[in-house]
C-alpha cells in the first residue's frame, strides 16, 4: 500500500473503497482534519473499525462520521446528507425529509431538534447490527 | 468564569459554513488558515476570544460537563484537534490541568485500546501505565495474578477463535454478501462440528464395543425358523455391478448387513447398553450446544430495543456496512437500503390505512385472510396425504414382480417418499410467497408468516413420513391385527423394521444431497450462463440469482432433523452427514461466488441469530418424538439388532441396573419414584417463576431508567441555559 509514503491522501484511499462515506472517514480520522492520514491515523481507523473495538468507541466515531458539519450535533441537514448518500439520491426529497423527521422523533431524547452525542449513543448502543456493520474486515 | 481556555467547538447556532464535502478541497484549506473546518475541533477557533469576552455560551458550558471529558481531552501529549499553533503554550498548561482532571475521571485503569484517543496518545498512555505498574513494584500479588489470569483467558479465547475452520472464508462472504449469508455458512459450520462430535461418540460407543468383544455373527440365513418369520438380508446368488450400485443408493443388499444399519449389531448386553446410552448422550450434547448458541444470539436481540420504536434510526445509522468493497456490492447495498426505507414508509402508510378501516372493510379483510389460511391448510393437507400415500404405496409396489425385475424402476419406487417430500418442499414455498401479499399484512409480518408456514411444511412432512412408516410397522397401532399379533410388529413385510427405518432416513439424506447438487448444476449454472448472454432486461431479471438465506437455512435444519431421527437406527448416519455437509459447504460457497449476486433484500443477521437456532431446537424436539416412541413402545425385531428378544428396547436398562450393586440400584430407583419427581417439579416451577419475575422487574427498571435519562438530559440543558443567563447577566452588570 503506497511506497513508503508517510501520508496517504484521500484520493489514494478512494481507490480502495467505494464507500460513500469515504471522505468523512478520512476527515474524521486524519490528524489535521483535512483528509490526509499518517500511518498512525490509518492504524487508528482500522483499530476503531476492527471487531475488537468496544461498542462505545465505535459509537463515538460513528457520531463523528455522520456529523457532516462538525458542529457536535447531528442536525436535520446532516441526516439529509446521510440518507442521500445511503440511497444514492434515489429517494424523493419528500421521502428523505420524512425519514429524517422520523429519525429525529425516535432518537432525539432532549427534544432540541438535533441529535447530540448522548442521544446518538443511547440509540446506537441498542442496535443489534451496529457492531457487525461498523466493521471493516481486513 | 475562567473559560477562555476551553474550546468552544460546540456551536449553538446553525453552522454558518454548511459544508459540501464534495466541494471542499485541500486547496480551499489554504485560503483560510485559521479555520480547520473538518476537524473535530473549533470551527471557529478565532471566535474564542470574542465569545469569552461576552460570557460563556451554552455550548461551552455543556462542554465543561464531566460526560464530555472524552471530547475535551484527547490524550497525553496530544493537542486537542483544531487547536492552532499560537495557543500552544496555553495549550500545554491547559493540557496538564485537564490531564489531572481526566486521570481522576478514569476511575479504573482502562486498557489503552479502549480509549478514544489517537495512536500517539495511546502509546504514551501505555508507556506511562507500564511505568506506573513497574514503579508500584509487584503491587499486590493477587492483582498481578488476576491480571495474568485475565490475559491467559483472553489468549485462550483468541486461540480457540483461530482454531475455528474457514474463519477467513466466512469473513469474505460476510463482506461481499452481507451478514445474513454469513450466518447461513456459520450455521453450516456449527452443524458440521456437531456432527463430527456425534460421529466420534457413536463410533466409540457402538463400533468399538462391537469389534472388541469377539467375532461377529453372520447374517441369519433362510433356514432359521422362528415364529416371527425369517430375515435374509444377504443378496442371493451372483449380484451384478449395476445392482451393487443401486444397492448403494437404496441401502439394501450388501449395505443392509453392515455397520451402517441397526440390524448388524449383535445381541450382546454391554453393546445394547452403550448403544442406547449413546443416543441419550448425543441428544444431550446437541441440546447443550444449540442452547448455548441460541442464548448468545438471544442476548443481543433481547437487549435491543423493540423494532417499532427505533426502526428508522437503526436503519439510517446501522444499515451501511463499512466493510463492503467493490462498486457492484456498494451499489447493491444502496439499492437494498433504498428498498428497506421505501418498505418502511409503505408499511407506515399501510398501518395508517389499517387504523382507519371501517367495519365493513375489516370484515372483508378478515374473510380474505380466513379463506387464504384455509387454502394454505388445504395445500398442506394435500401434500401430507401425498407423502402418506407414497410411503404406503412403496411397500406394495415393491412386491409386484414387474418392479422387482427392473432395477431402475425399483430404485424409483424406493425413492418415492423422498421424491414426494422434495417435490412438496420445492413447490409449496413459492405458493406461500404468492399468497402472503394478499393477506394485507405489513411486509415484516408477511415474511414471518411465510417462514412459519415453510418451517411447518418441512418438519411436518418428515413427521408424516414417519407416521406412515409407523402405520406399517405396528399395523396402525392395532396390536390385535393378524399380522402384528404374534410378534408385536408386522414381521411379514418388515422383518427388521429398525433397519428399514434407517434405510428410509439414509435415502432421504442421499436424495437431499443429490437434489442440491442437481439444482446447482442443472438450474443455477445454466441460468447464469445462458441468461447472462440474454440481451436486455429479461436477461438481467432471469439471470440474477440471489442466495435466499431463509430457504437455505430451513433446508439445512431439515437435513439435520433427518439425521437426528435416523441416527438411532443408522449409527453411521452422523458420519455420512459430516461428509455431506462438508461437500455442501464447498458447493454452496462455489455457487455463491460464481452464480449469485447479493440478495436485494437482506435478512437481518440479528433475526437470523435468534430465529434459526430456535427452529433448530424445534427440529431436535420433533426428532426426539419418533426415537423415544420406538425405544419405549414398539417391540424390537426378534431377528436382528442388539435388542433381540427383549420386550422393548428400554427394557435392557432395568435389566442391567439389576446387575449393579445394591446402593446404586436404590439410588437409581429412588430417582424414578414420586418422592423425587414431585419436589423436583416444584423446585423447577419456583425457579421459573422467580426468573420470570426477575425479568419482568428488569424490564420495568430499564424503561424507568430510560425515562430518567430523558429527564436528566432536559435538566442538563435547562441548567446550562440558566448558567449562561446568570453569567451573562452578571457580565452585563460588571463595569465595562
Amino acid at each position: 500500500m503506497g511506497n513508503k509514503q508517510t501520508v496517504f491522501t484521500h484520493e489514494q484511499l478512494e481507490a480502495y473503497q467505494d464507500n460513500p462515506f469515504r471522505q468523512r472517514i478520512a476527515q474524521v480520522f486524519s490528524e489535521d482534519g483535512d483528509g490526509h492520514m499518517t500511518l498512525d491515523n490509518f492504524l487508528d481507523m482500522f483499530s476503531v473499525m476492527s471487531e475488537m473495538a468496544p461498542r462505545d468507541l465505535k459509537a463515538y466515531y460513528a457520531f463523528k462520521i455522520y456529523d457532516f458539519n462538525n458542529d457536535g450535533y447531528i442536525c436535520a441537514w446532516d441526516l439529509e446528507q446521510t440518507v442521500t448518500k445511503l440511497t444514492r439520491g434515489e429517494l424523493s426529497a419528500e421521502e428523505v425529509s420524512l425519514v429524517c423527521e422520523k429519525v429525529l422523533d425516535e432518537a432525539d431524547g432532549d427534544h432540541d431538534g438535533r441529535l447530540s452525542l448522548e442521544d446518538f449513543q443511547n440509540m446506537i448502543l441498542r442496535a443489534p447490527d451496529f457492531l457487525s456493520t461498523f466493521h471493516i474486515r481486513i | 468564569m475562567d473559560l477562555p481556555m476551553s474550546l468552544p467547538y460546540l456551536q449553538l447556532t446553525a453552522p454558518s459554513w454548511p459544508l459540501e464535502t464534495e466541494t471542499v478541497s485541500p486547496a480551499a484549506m489554504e485560503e483560510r488558515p485559521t479555520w480547520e473546518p473538518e476537524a473535530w475541533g473549533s470551527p471557529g477557533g478565532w471566535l474564542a476570544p470574542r465569545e469569552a469576552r461576552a460570557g460563556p455560551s451554552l455550548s461551552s458550558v455543556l462542554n465543561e460537563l464531566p460526560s464530555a471529558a472524552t471530547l475535551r481531552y484527547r490524550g497525553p501529549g496530544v493537542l486537542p484537534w483544531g487547536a492552532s499553533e499560537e495557543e500552544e503554550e496555553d495549550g500545554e498548561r491547559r493540557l496538564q490541568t485537564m490531564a489531572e482532571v481526566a486521570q481522576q475521571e478514569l476511575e479504573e485503569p482502562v486498557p489503552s485500546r479502549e480509549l478514544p484517543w489517537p495512536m500517539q496518545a495511546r502509546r504514551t498512555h501505555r508507556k506511562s501505565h507500564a511505568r506506573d505498574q513497574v514503579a508500584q513494584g509487584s503491587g499486590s500479588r493477587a492483582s498481578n495474578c488476576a491480571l495474568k489470569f485475565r490475559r491467559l483467558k483472553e489468549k485462550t479465547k483468541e486461540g480457540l477463535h483461530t482454531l475455528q475452520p474457514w474463519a477467513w472464508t466466512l469473513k469474505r462472504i460476510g463482506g461481499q454478501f452481507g451478514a445474513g449469508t454469513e450466518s447461513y455458512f456459520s450455521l453450516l459450520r456449527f452443524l458440521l462440528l456437531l456432527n463430527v462430535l456425534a460421529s466420534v461418540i457413536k463410533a466409540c460407543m457402538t463400533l468399538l464395543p462391537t469389534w472388541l468383544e469377539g467375532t461377529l455373527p453372520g447374517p441369519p440365513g433362510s433356514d432359521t425358523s422362528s415364529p416371527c418369520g425369517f430375515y435374509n438380508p444377504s443378496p442371493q446368488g451372483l449380484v451384478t455391478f449395476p445392482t451393487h450400485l443401486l444397492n448403494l443408493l437404496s441401502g439394501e443388499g450388501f449395505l443392509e448387513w453392515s455397520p451402517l444399519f441397526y440390524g448388524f449389531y449383535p445381541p450382546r448386553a454391554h453393546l445394547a447398553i452403550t448403544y442406547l446410552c449413546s443416543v441419550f448422550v448425543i441428544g444431550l450434547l446437541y441440546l447443550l450446544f444449540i442452547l448455548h448458541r441460541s442464548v448468545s444470539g438471544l442476548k443481543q436481540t433481547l437487549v435491543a430495543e423493540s423494532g417499532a420504536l427505533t426502526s428508522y434510526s437503526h436503519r439510517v445509522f446501522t444499515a451501511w456496512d463499512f466493510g463492503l468493497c467493490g462498486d457492484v456490492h456498494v451499489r447493491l447495498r444502496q439499492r437494498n437500503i433504498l428498498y428497506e426505507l421505501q418498505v418502511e414508509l409503505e408499511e407506515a402508510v399501510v398501518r395508517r390505512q389499517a387504523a382507519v378501516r371501517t367495519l365493513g372493510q375489516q370484515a372483508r379483510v378478515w374473510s380474505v385472510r380466513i379463506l387464504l389460511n384455509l387454502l394454505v391448510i388445504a395445500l398442506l393437507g394435500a401434500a401430507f396425504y401425498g407423502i402418506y400415500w407414497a410411503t404406503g404405496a412403496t411397500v406394495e409396489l415393491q412386491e409386484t414382480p414387474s418392479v422387482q425385475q427392473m432395477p431402475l424402476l425399483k430404485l424409483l419406487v424406493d425413492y418415492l417418499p423422498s421424491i414426494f417430500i422434495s417435490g412438496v418442499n420445492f413447490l409449496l414455498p413459492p405458493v406461500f410467497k404468492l399468497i402472503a401479499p394478499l393477506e394485507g399484512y405489513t411486509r415484516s409480518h408477511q415474511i414471518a408468516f411465510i417462514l412459519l408456514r415453510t418451517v411447518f411444511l418441512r418438519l411436518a412432512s418428515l413427521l408424516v413420513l414417519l407416521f406412515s412408516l409407523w402405520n406399517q410397522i405396528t399395523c396402525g397401532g392395532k396390536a390385535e391385527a393378524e399380522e402384528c399379533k404374534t410378534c408385536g410388529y408386522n414381521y411379514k413385510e418388515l422383518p427388521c423394521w429398525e433397519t428399514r427405518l434407517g434405510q428410509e432416513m439414509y435415502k432421504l439424506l442421499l436424495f437431499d444431497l443429490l437434489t442440491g447438487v442437481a439444482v446447482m448444476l442443472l438450474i443455477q449454472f445454466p441460468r447464469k450462463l445462458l441468461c447472462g448472454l440474454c440481451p436486455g432486461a429479461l436477461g438481467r431479471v432471469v439471470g440474477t440469482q440471489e442466495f435466499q438465506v431463509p430457504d437455505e437455512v430451513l433446508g439445512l435444519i431439515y437435513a439435520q432433523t433427518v439425521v437426528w431421527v435416523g441416527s438411532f437406527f443408522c449409527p453411521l448416519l452422523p458420519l455420512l452427514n459430516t461428509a455431506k455437509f462438508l461437500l455442501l459447504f464447498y458447493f454452496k460457497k462455489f455457487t455463491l461466488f460464481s452464480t449469485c449476486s447479493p440478495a436485494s433484500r437482506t435478512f437481518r443477521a440479528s433475526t437470523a441469530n435468534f430465529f434459526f437456532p430456535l427452529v433448530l431446537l424445534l427440529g431436535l424436539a420433533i426428532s426426539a418424538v419418533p426415537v423415544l416412541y420406538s425405544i419405549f413402545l414398539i417391540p424390537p425385531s426378534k431377528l436382528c439388532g442388539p435388542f433381540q428378544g427383549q420386550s422393548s428396547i428400554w427394557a435392557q436398562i432395568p435389566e442391567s441396573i439389576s446387575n449393579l450393586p445394591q446402593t446404586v440400584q436404590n439410588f437409581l430407583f429412588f430417582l424414578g419414584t414420586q418422592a423425587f419427581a414431585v419436589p423436583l417439579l416444584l423446585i423447577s416451577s419456583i425457579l421459573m417463576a422467580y426468573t420470570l419475575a426477575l425479568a419482568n422487574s428488569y424490564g420495568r427498571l430499564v424503561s424507568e431508567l430510560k425515562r430518567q435519562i430523558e429527564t436528566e438530559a432536559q435538566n442538563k440543558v435547562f441548567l446550562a441555559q440558566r448558567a449562561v443567563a446568570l453569567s451573562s447577566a452578571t457580565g452585563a452588570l460588571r463595569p465595562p
Side-chain angles (χ1 to χ4, degrees), chain B residues 346-379:
Chain B
E346 251 180 66
E347 282 193 18
V349 168
V350 166
R351 259 180 259 137
R352 252 203 314 260
Q353 280 179 354
V356 298
R357 266 195 212 129
T358 63
L359 202 60
Q361 285 176 329
Q362 288 255 23
R364 204 180 41 207
V365 164
W366 275 104
S367 57
V368 166
R369 283 182 192 164
I370 290 175
L371 270 176
L372 286 175
N373 274 310
L374 284 177
L375 177 66
V376 164
I377 292 176
L379 282 173

Side-chain angles (χ1 to χ4, degrees), chain B residues 568-637:
Chain B
F568 179 70
F569 307 103
C570 178
L572 290 186
L573 208 59
L575 192 65
L576 289 176
N577 203 32
T578 310
K580 173 183 170 186
F581 278 173
L582 204 61
L583 277 175
L584 203 66
F585 189 93
Y586 286 109
F587 269 136
K588 290 282 177 194
K589 183 181 130 194
F590 183 58
T591 316
L592 185 72
F593 280 116
S594 45
T595 65
C596 291
S597 27
S600 57
R601 307 173 198 175
T602 48
F603 202 80
R604 285 204 149 172
S606 50
T607 336
N609 278 338
F610 165 67
F611 180 69
F612 292 134
L614 214 62
V615 180
L616 205 58
L617 274 178
L618 186 68
L620 184 63
I622 286 181
S623 67
V625 169
V627 174
L628 289 177
Y629 188 87
S630 318
I631 290 179
F632 285 95
L633 291 174
I634 305 184
S637 311

Side-chain angles (χ1 to χ4, degrees), chain B residues 73-80 92 95-96 99 117-118 120-121 124-125:
Chain B
Y73 178 53
R74 290 285 302 148
V78 179
L79 287 178
E92 287 198 23
L95 270 180
Q96 276 172 8
W117 294 347
Q120 198 183 350
T124 328
H125 176 262

Side-chain angles (χ1 to χ4, degrees), chain A:
Chain A
M1 251 190 150
N3 300 314
K4 299 190 183 168
Q5 285 174 289
T6 49
V7 176
F8 286 90
T9 60
H10 64 257
E11 282 98 7
Q12 275 178 303
L13 284 169
E14 252 178 76
Y16 291 99
Q17 286 195 84
D18 302 290
N19 197 325
F21 295 103
R22 58 188 182 275
Q23 283 184 324
R24 281 304 300 160
I25 295 177
Q27 283 156 8
V28 161
F29 285 101
S30 61
E31 208 163 72
D32 40 7
D34 64 353
H36 292 87
M37 292 208 246
T38 65
L39 179 63
D40 277 350
N41 298 139
F42 195 68
L43 288 176
D44 272 340
M45 178 177 86
F46 277 112
S47 138
V48 168
M49 309 285 271
S50 76
E51 58 191 6
M52 302 287 284
R55 217 173 175 125
D56 353 12
L57 193 61
K58 289 193 187 230
Y60 170 79
Y61 278 101
F63 183 71
K64 288 164 75 166
I65 289 177
Y66 290 125
D67 180 10
F68 282 79
N69 47 19
N70 293 309
D71 61 349
Y73 292 97
I74 297 183
C75 57
W77 184 83
D78 292 327
L79 279 175
E80 279 171 35
Q81 289 288 306
T82 309
V83 173
T84 315
K85 275 188 194 284
L86 280 178
T87 57
R88 214 184 179 86
E90 284 175 22
L91 269 184
S92 71
E94 189 193 302
E95 288 172 328
V96 169
S97 54
L98 204 60
V99 171
C100 297
E101 209 183 280
K102 288 202 189 275
V103 172
L104 283 173
D105 276 341
E106 285 173 1
D108 191 7
D110 49 8
H111 305 291
D112 57 354
R114 56 198 177 166
L115 301 179
S116 64
L117 180 60
E118 287 87 21
D119 294 334
F120 185 81
Q121 278 184 328
N122 288 338
M123 181 266 297
I124 212 80
L125 291 179
R126 292 195 291 267
D129 297 312
F130 177 60
L131 281 182
S132 59
T133 55
F134 200 74
H135 174 201
I136 290 183
R137 294 163 176 86
I138 43 168

Side-chain angles (χ1 to χ4, degrees), chain B residues 489-505:
Chain B
Y489 60 93
N490 193 346
Y491 63 90
K492 282 210 200 91
E493 287 180 6
L494 302 164
C496 190
W497 61 268
E498 294 97 341
T499 304
R500 177 55 196 279
L501 210 54
Q503 282 171 341
E504 288 295 337
M505 296 299 122

